Amino acid sequence: MTTNETAGRLPDTVRPERYDLHVTVRPDEGRFSGRVRIAVQLAEPASELTLHAQELEIGDAHVEFDGRRSAATVRLDPAATTLTLSSELPKGSAVIEVAFAGQLNRQMKGLYEARATFEGVEERYAFTQCEPTDARRFFPCFDEPAFKATFCLEATAPAPAHLTILSNMPAVSEARDGATKTVRFADTPVMSTYLLALAVGRLGSVARRIAETHVAVWAQPRDLHLADFALDVTEATLPLLNDYFGLPYPYPKLDLVAVPDFAMGAMENWGAIFFRDSRLLVDTKRASTATQRVVANVIVHEIVHQWFGNLVTMAWWDDLWLNEAFATWLACKIVDQWRPEWRSWEEFQLEKQIPLELDALDSSRPIVSEVRSSSEIESMFDPLTYEKGAAVLRMIERFIGEEAFRDGIRVYMRRHQFGNTVAADLWRTLEAASGHPVGALAKDWLTQAGYPIVSARDVSGDGRTLTLGQRPFSAHGPSADASRQWSIPVVVRYEDAAGIRSYRVLLDAPSATVALPGTGPVRWVYPNGDESGFYRVETDSRLRESLYAVAPTALDPAERIGWLNHVWALAQAREVSIDVFMAILMAFKGDGTRVVVEAVAAYLDTLADRMVADGERPFLGRLAEALVRPVWDRLGWGTREGEGDEPRLTRAAALWILGSITRDPALLADTERRLAQYLGDRDALDPTLAATVVRLGARLGGEQRFRTYQHQFARAGTPEDRDRYLMALAEFRDAGLAARLMAMTLTDAVRGQDVWKPFRPLLASPAVQGEAWEFVKTHWQTLRTKAGPVGATRIIQSARALWHETWYVDVRSFFAYPANQVESAAKALDQTLEFLRLGLEFRAAQSEPLARWLRVGAF
């Protein structure tokens, strides 16, 4: 038995070199069939060949070698998702040929069925989603990333003119035979199975020539007017990526395809990127700036993958971060280079709070984690891989320098193009480019779970000399675990008579004394400059007090929201009283910085829905008024000429706070009036404000408005409008209306890709969360099947808001029952239960101190 087999992988003694794949797709019948010929190389003689196959009907199978062809005995192992062929084969070249067939599933995995309505008639299409381990649901193959090979795909489908067939490469021929047509595509370069793509559907395109590449957006013909934004993004960023990598885009075409039903946000299939329609199609005249930013980031993320992930691919899924962390980090960097006014790194700081929260749990994991099964691999697609990994890369780039980092990446890409790598390959090139011990530093952050909290203590009395310390941070409070330590690139930002400065130090011991350059007293110190480090901070009381007065002006926006989040986490872990957090929150009274107002809105929502009793709600309203009213008074309802996107987003966040927490009667009456105008004329309201007004309208409305929103959802002309009204329907506070929405998710009115979305706010709503949880339990089998494992996992994660002891026990017992379990959500369930327990403990410890603070009313 080889090492690979003991690790749950195929033996590496048989390697594929080429696939000749013919598949016939019959969408109206929900079926497909085909035949695959796989040219392989055997490193040693074998009596059996094992490859992957899942939920496929296997027909005849043959092997060919030395000019001889013989039938092979077939043995399927459904648990291992493998297919074993028995036939004596010598060392050297051979060909495997297998006939297969299968059903187009509705779980958005492998080759699956998607439905859409055209001119009132429902049509059925077929699309692929092969990552991470679902190419084996499409055809028998060696379904591991290290088994790269060339693919020659030929696809046959019904011949109606409206059906287009797409794949990774350009078509080289098309032939019609009565009721069918067959398209043959050019050979691919060597690539992994998970990148193979096939689309059969009603699709049209608009195209441009961008940086010597043919780029096309494919969508249903009625949606093609929404394609220009994606082309604009690609036109702006593809040349920047060509330059960054020092290698031009390596494929003859780049298709961006809107899929009617798609579990993920997007999938980086080489040369044919598939997208959920809401992450590609944008109405440039009426789209909110928030949607434009999200869509741009997703598009660039997927284009980055054409190099990082496709051209150079991780050898095994334990290094998935090599794909996803780099795409997350570089997409942010490129979008920031293109549109600096979007302040992408500030947005990144908000997103970084998610893995900071996850990684403080006992149920966290290292970024690089051993995985064997498909379910374990699927669970790796989480914020630890994406956002924590990206934050670690940013920290390393800051440590060795931007130029050295880029030079190392260019060497890495040239050296390993069309191949597979492990993390050590990357660290070697970065070390050679920079002269820094990158591998040793990275190991601390990638191979152990969690992260440190860095403390700063003033030991000189004037802030000039500090003691920096580190310890593991835990959401459960101070940890006695002294075994974990990190090499931390600490950036200390401070101000003295010479101005605001930064000082960098590598903290690779439990503590160190640091003398800040300069003379005289230091006005303030913040030990995570630019929030570029993936760690939390704490300071002694003198340093904290010095920050109160200067935070809104001296700290940059990322540092402001970072400081707030660090103290919030300390309060949740019961390391400080919530009074400390509230005092810091008050330091940002009237701060109109967009990310600060959005962060304040999130904290106030949590306090309102989870922490504050009815008797304290008026006091929380006064707090919200004090924090945000100055911002609203400056901005008001109307946009100003040339004001840019940031004030628009700030206005929306401020309106939400005043409407949902303060509940100002005059403001709510104005909201009602403007909502009525908007429902009659979509141009009557700034697009960036529309989602907030519609959402508040749900909080204020009843039966008639619910029906109005249902109608708007059903007739939505853009993906953004569809999502806006679906999510607004989840904001009604009436249990009967919530029940109607939840029943709607079980019908064809809500796509499988969207089933999970309304359950996140419903399970978080104090008014209806009990009813929502009962509905989930009652209809779990239907929900799980329709949403697929990705959507089912997100519903499980949404249960973290059920802060009640009875619900905690119920969630745990419900998902302990084998029939209710989602295999790939095992880690997500552990985290959900831990979040639930922590929430209960947080409320028990901090609700009374919060009530006392609010009643004092010093705001």
Side-chain angles (χ1 to χ4, degrees):
M1 181 174 288
T2 70
T3 302
N4 276 1
E5 288 176 298
T6 62
R9 295 160 65 176
L10 296 178
D12 56 8
T13 52
V14 181
R15 302 192 67 85
E17 295 183 329
R18 178 182 175 86
Y19 292 83
D20 285 278
L21 172 63
H22 181 271
V23 61
T24 297
V25 184
R26 298 178 292 279
D28 288 343
E29 300 174 25
R31 298 280 299 173
F32 65 94
S33 59
R35 182 173 292 273
V36 61
R37 289 176 55 84
I38 312 172
V40 298
Q41 278 290 329
L42 285 75
E44 58 189 37
S47 58
E48 292 186 334
L49 296 180
T50 298
L51 58 161
H52 289 108
Q54 185 173 4
E55 297 178 358
L56 294 175
E57 304 154 18
I58 302 301
D60 62 278
H62 295 82
V63 294
E64 300 175 10
F65 63 94
D66 291 341
R68 289 176 288 172
R69 177 182 171 88
S70 60
T73 303
V74 174
R75 186 174 74 252
L76 289 167
D77 185 342
T81 66
T82 56
L83 161 67
T84 299
L85 306 178
S86 297
S87 183
E88 296 295 332
L89 290 171
K91 176 182 177 180
S93 299
V95 175
I96 305 166
E97 184 174 329
V98 182
F100 61 92
Q103 291 187 334
L104 297 173
N105 68 76
R106 295 296 305 276
Q107 281 72 57
M108 297 170 281
K109 297 165 75 75
L111 181 60
Y112 69 91
E113 177 185 294
R115 300 181 183 181
T117 300
F118 180 76
E119 295 182 350
V121 178
E122 184 179 72
E123 297 181 336
R124 296 182 176 187
Y125 312 137
F127 292 88
T128 53
Q129 172 57 36
C130 293
E131 188 183 38
T133 60
D134 290 313
R136 65 193 68 177
R137 296 176 188 263
F138 179 14
F139 64 103
C141 58
F142 294 81
D143 198 12
E144 295 178 7
F147 289 127
K148 287 191 168 185
T150 298
F151 292 81
C152 176
L153 175 63
E154 188 176 72
T156 299
H162 71 267
L163 281 184
T164 296
I165 304 175
L166 297 175
S167 187
N168 306 79
M169 295 294 286
V172 294
S173 68
E174 179 175 324
R176 292 181 178 267
D177 181 11
T180 65
K181 64 179 176 182
T182 298
V183 178
R184 184 179 181 87
F185 297 94
D187 289 4
T188 70
V190 292
M191 69 180 194
S192 304
T193 50
Y194 77 86
L195 295 170
L196 188 64
L198 176 63
V200 179
R202 182 184 291 276
L203 297 168
S205 69
V206 292
R208 293 182 196 170
R209 190 78 180 170
I210 299 173
E212 304 306 316
T213 299
H214 178 83
V215 179
V217 174
W218 292 84
Q220 290 185 278
R222 66 169 180 257
D223 291 331
L224 287 177
H225 68 288
L226 306 175
D228 283 345
F229 181 76
L231 290 172
D232 291 344
V233 172
T234 307
E235 189 161 35
T237 59
L238 183 59
L240 298 178
L241 288 167
N242 284 337
D243 177 68
Y244 187 87
F245 287 114
L247 286 172
Y249 174 75
Y251 246 52
K253 71 174 178 69
L254 177 58
D255 289 338
L256 313 177
V257 185
V259 180
D261 216 4
F262 200 67
M264 310 300 290
M267 174 60 210
E268 64 268 19
N269 310 308
W270 212 355
I273 304 172
F274 287 2
F275 292 82
R276 180 183 292 232
D277 59 359
S278 61
R279 292 297 176 259
L280 180 67
L281 304 176
V282 171
D283 182 344
T284 54
K285 294 180 179 179
R286 291 173 172 163
S288 68
T289 184
T291 291
Q292 292 181 49
R293 293 179 186 200
V294 168
V295 170
N297 196 69
V298 171
I299 291 171
V300 179
H301 179 109
E302 302 307 323
I303 297 176
V304 170
H305 273 312
Q306 306 304 296
W307 289 266
F308 245 112
N310 299 4
L311 183 62
V312 181
T313 312
M314 76 269 152
W316 182 241
W317 297 103
D318 56 351
D319 271 327
L320 174 63
W321 73 275
L322 277 171
N323 287 14
E324 300 301 348
F326 264 91
T328 302
W329 165 78
L330 188 53
C332 190
K333 189 180 184 72
I334 293 296
V335 171
D336 186 60
Q337 184 179 350
W338 168 46
R339 296 292 295 270
E341 71 276 13
W342 283 0
R343 303 181 184 180
S344 295
W345 288 117
E346 294 174 16
E347 187 71 31
F348 179 80
Q349 176 55 33
L350 284 174
E351 295 170 357
K352 194 175 79 174
Q353 293 172 7
I354 299 171
L356 282 169
E357 190 178 36
L358 275 174
D359 209 23
L361 301 178
D362 291 344
S363 54
S364 187
R365 64 165 180 84
I367 292 176
V368 177
S369 297
E370 182 178 347
V371 289
R372 300 185 181 189
S373 68
S374 293
S375 59
E376 289 174 338
I377 293 167
E378 285 182 40
S379 71
M380 295 281 283
F381 289 79
D382 69 359
L384 298 175
T385 293
Y386 285 70
E387 283 82 12
K388 180 184 177 180
V392 170
L393 289 172
R394 187 178 188 223
M395 189 164 58
I396 292 172
E397 184 203 32
R398 291 295 187 91
F399 176 65
I400 70 173
E402 189 173 15
E403 185 175 344
F405 193 92
R406 185 201 61 212
D407 290 346
I409 294 299
R410 288 177 172 177
V411 171
Y412 172 84
M413 297 304 300
R414 288 195 299 271
R415 184 174 295 167
H416 299 290
Q417 57 185 312
F418 302 108
N420 296 88
T421 62
V422 296
D425 298 316
L426 176 62
W427 305 141
R428 277 193 290 271
T429 60
L430 291 178
E431 286 177 348
S434 69
H436 289 288
V438 177
L441 186 152
K443 181 181 178 182
D444 291 347
W445 297 94
L446 297 177
T447 62
Q448 60 182 347
Y451 57 87
I453 182 167
V454 172
S455 60
R457 304 281 181 263
D458 179 6
V459 296
S460 61
D462 62 356
R464 182 62 63 182
T465 304
L466 307 174
T467 295
L468 300 179
Q470 66 161 296
R471 60 180 173 87
F473 179 76
S474 170
H476 296 273
S479 172
D481 178 13
S483 63
R484 287 182 297 159
Q485 184 176 298
W486 291 262
S487 294
I488 312 171
V490 175
V491 179
V492 181
R493 277 241 298 166
Y494 64 99
E495 183 179 6
D496 59 14
I500 297 176
R501 308 204 250 174
S502 294
Y503 181 68
R504 300 176 184 273
V505 58
L506 185 65
L507 180 63
D508 55 3
S511 65
T513 300
V514 173
L516 298 178
T519 58
V522 171
R523 186 182 179 197
W524 57 266
V525 168
Y526 187 70
N528 193 357
D530 301 325
E531 284 296 322
S532 58
F534 192 81
Y535 56 85
R536 296 212 179 274
V537 301
E538 61 177 347
T539 60
D540 62 28
S541 58
R542 196 198 79 79
L543 293 177
R544 187 169 65 236
E545 291 291 335
S546 70
L547 281 172
Y548 284 149
V550 302
T553 54
L555 297 185
D556 70 26
E559 292 165 347
R560 288 178 233 168
I561 59 175
W563 187 36
L564 269 173
N565 190 248
H566 299 320
V567 182
W568 174 255
L570 288 167
Q572 287 183 305
R574 284 91 63 207
E575 290 202 38
V576 301
S577 171
I578 199 166
D579 296 14
V580 177
F581 171 77
M582 300 305 290
I584 294 175
L585 191 65
M586 286 304 298
F588 297 101
K589 180 169 63 175
D591 188 332
T593 306
R594 187 261 303 182
V595 289
V596 173
V597 179
E598 290 179 346
V600 168
Y603 295 125
L604 291 176
D605 275 346
T606 299
L607 295 178
D609 291 346
R610 309 276 172 270
M611 297 289 289
V612 173
D614 289 343
E616 276 73 50
R617 292 193 183 282
F619 300 100
L620 184 66
R622 292 175 200 166
L623 169 64
E625 177 83 11
L627 286 168
V628 179
R629 175 61 69 176
V631 178
W632 180 257
D633 288 344
R634 289 196 301 269
L635 294 174
W637 282 99
T639 59
R640 294 168 177 79
E641 185 178 353
E643 73 176 356
D645 291 340
E646 291 292 294
R648 287 181 165 87
L649 290 164
T650 305
R651 180 180 292 112
L655 176 62
W656 175 253
I657 293 170
L658 293 175
S660 65
I661 307 294
T662 303
R663 298 188 63 81
D664 177 351
L667 185 68
L668 292 178
D670 207 359
T671 300
E672 290 271 31
R673 181 178 62 82
R674 292 174 185 273
L675 174 62
Q677 293 174 342
Y678 177 72
L679 292 172
D681 177 8
R682 288 185 59 210
D683 295 324
L685 198 61
D686 173 32
T688 300
L689 206 55
T692 301
V693 170
V694 171
R695 189 179 174 198
L696 282 173
R699 293 281 182 97
L700 300 169
E703 167 75 25
Q704 180 58 47
R705 182 159 295 157
F706 185 87
R707 287 202 303 267
T708 298
Y709 281 15
Q710 278 186 307
H711 177 68
Q712 294 290 338
F713 169 71
R715 64 185 290 271
T718 69
E720 182 178 18
D721 280 345
R722 186 187 67 231
D723 285 353
R724 174 180 296 142
Y725 286 103
L726 178 62
M727 299 309 291
L729 284 166
E731 293 290 346
F732 286 85
R733 290 321 204 210
D734 179 81
L737 297 178
R740 284 166 54 182
L741 170 62
M742 290 186 286
M744 194 171 83
T745 66
L746 305 180
T747 72
D748 289 339
V750 178
R751 299 179 185 182
Q753 68 176 20
D754 297 326
V755 164
W756 63 273
K757 290 182 179 179
F759 284 97
R760 182 163 291 176
L762 288 168
L763 287 166
S765 168
V768 300
Q769 61 187 161
E771 290 82 357
W773 171 236
E774 289 301 317
F775 185 94
V776 167
K777 288 192 297 178
T778 301
H779 299 279
W780 178 242
Q781 300 306 327
T782 303
L783 287 169
R784 182 176 67 174
T785 300
K786 182 175 181 181
V790 173
T793 299
R794 288 170 178 166
I795 294 174
I796 291 171
Q797 291 169 325
S798 300
R800 63 177 286 184
L802 297 171
W803 286 16
H804 193 287
E805 188 67 40
T806 302
W807 287 333
Y808 170 79
V809 174
D810 201 18
V811 172
R812 184 177 59 188
S813 62
F814 180 79
F815 289 113
Y817 186 61
N820 296 331
Q821 292 171 358
V822 177
E823 195 175 1
S824 58
K827 175 64 72 174
L829 176 60
D830 290 343
Q831 293 166 344
T832 296
L833 291 169
E834 192 171 353
F835 276 130
L836 267 172
R837 172 53 57 197
L838 287 165
L840 292 169
E841 293 171 357
F842 176 44
R843 184 163 62 193
Q846 301 282 24
S847 59
E848 281 302 318
L850 174 63
R852 287 195 299 270
W853 189 91
L854 288 171
R855 287 183 177 276
V856 169
F859 40 79

